[in-house]
Amino acid sequence: MHLRFLALAALGMGSQPAAHAQAPTPPARTYSVKADLIPMLTGGYQLGLEKVWGPAGRQALVITPQFYRGNVQALTSELVEGSSNRVRGYGLAIQHRLYLTKQAKLLEGFYFSYGPHYQHFEMQFQALSWEPEVAPSGLTYYQYRSRGQQETIDRYGAAAVLGGQLFLPDLPIFLDVFTGLGLRKSSSRSTLSGNRYASSMSDYGASGFYFPIGFRVGVAW
């Protein structure tokens, strides 16, 4: 009887570490969605979708659809005839992200990211121009006055950035900050000659080198 009791007690004590070792662990987060706050200042909405892969989860694919709608701001452009400038557009950026250090959490730490992007803008503005007018008598004549104009811009480019992504304590919410170097080429078609939206590297029709910066807030699952 005593031997049976001792055997059961030993078996119970031996099973405790095993049960403790098999305690469920929270699932690793491998997906995230993030919104870039800086483009919102100029009517841009960029929502990044990220998926990590690999044995250590140190590589990721980030796909960022872009949408633009609203008034053009002096922050990016030299406004044509006041506040009547408006932008509509869309775009897509694809980046391969490499996390530089192994972290306890996936989707966290310093990273290097690179990839291409495409953007399409339709700019609406008022400007003076000569256009044919039809008089009540039926005669056609040219008049120089302010009219509604449009410029269509297509832009291709690529960028490489360094950044860091950090989760808030005990939450699936994170901050993502980055900066880097990019190169892009734009082409435009307008109802008037010239490109009116290339006044600075942050303008819609600018070509050449630029310095991308971002401040994103996201959630992972």
Side-chain angles (χ1 to χ4, degrees):
M1 185 69 177
H2 293 290
L3 291 175
R4 180 180 297 180
F5 175 78
L6 292 174
L8 291 174
L11 182 61
M13 292 176 64
S15 64
Q16 288 180 3
H20 179 73
Q22 296 176 359
T25 57
R29 300 184 178 103
T30 58
Y31 293 89
S32 75
V33 60
K34 62 197 81 176
D36 198 334
L37 304 185
I38 293 180
M40 292 183 183
L41 299 175
T42 57
Y45 306 93
Q46 301 186 11
L47 198 64
L49 308 173
E50 180 177 0
K51 170 67 171 70
V52 299
W53 79 82
R58 293 175 63 179
Q59 298 191 65
L61 178 67
V62 183
I63 300 176
T64 307
Q66 305 174 4
F67 302 94
Y68 299 85
R69 189 177 186 90
N71 294 324
V72 176
Q73 304 294 327
L75 182 64
T76 60
S77 312
E78 291 182 0
L79 301 182
V80 181
E81 291 201 11
S83 60
S84 60
N85 298 240
R86 293 187 59 81
V87 59
R88 293 186 303 175
Y90 56 85
L92 181 67
I94 300 174
Q95 288 197 327
H96 178 209
R97 178 177 288 193
L98 302 171
Y99 285 92
L100 303 178
T101 56
K102 186 176 181 180
Q103 301 289 332
K105 295 180 182 178
L106 298 181
L107 295 166
E108 186 172 61
F110 292 103
Y111 64 82
F112 170 73
S113 186
Y114 63 94
H117 64 262
Y118 165 74
Q119 295 166 312
H120 174 86
F121 302 110
E122 294 181 357
M123 317 300 300
Q124 297 177 346
F125 60 97
Q126 295 285 325
L128 295 170
S129 66
W130 288 99
E131 294 290 342
E133 302 278 355
V134 179
S137 62
L139 296 176
T140 300
Y141 65 99
Y142 281 82
Q143 186 176 25
Y144 186 69
R145 64 178 177 86
S146 179
R147 307 169 189 274
Q149 311 288 349
Q150 180 170 313
E151 182 172 335
T152 302
I153 301 169
D154 289 291
R155 186 163 66 184
Y156 303 84
V161 303
L162 288 171
Q165 193 158 277
L166 177 67
F167 281 89
L168 300 182
D170 302 320
L171 292 173
I173 299 172
F174 60 84
L175 305 178
D176 181 5
V177 182
F178 64 85
T179 186
L181 178 66
L183 177 65
R184 54 196 177 190
K185 173 66 176 177
S186 68
S187 61
S188 67
R189 305 178 303 278
S190 178
T191 52
L192 294 177
S193 61
N195 183 351
R196 283 161 178 75
Y197 295 95
S199 61
S200 68
M201 69 172 62
S202 62
D203 213 342
Y204 299 94
S207 294
F209 288 101
Y210 71 105
F211 301 100
I213 58 173
F215 181 81
R216 296 171 171 175
V217 177
V219 60
W221 69 93

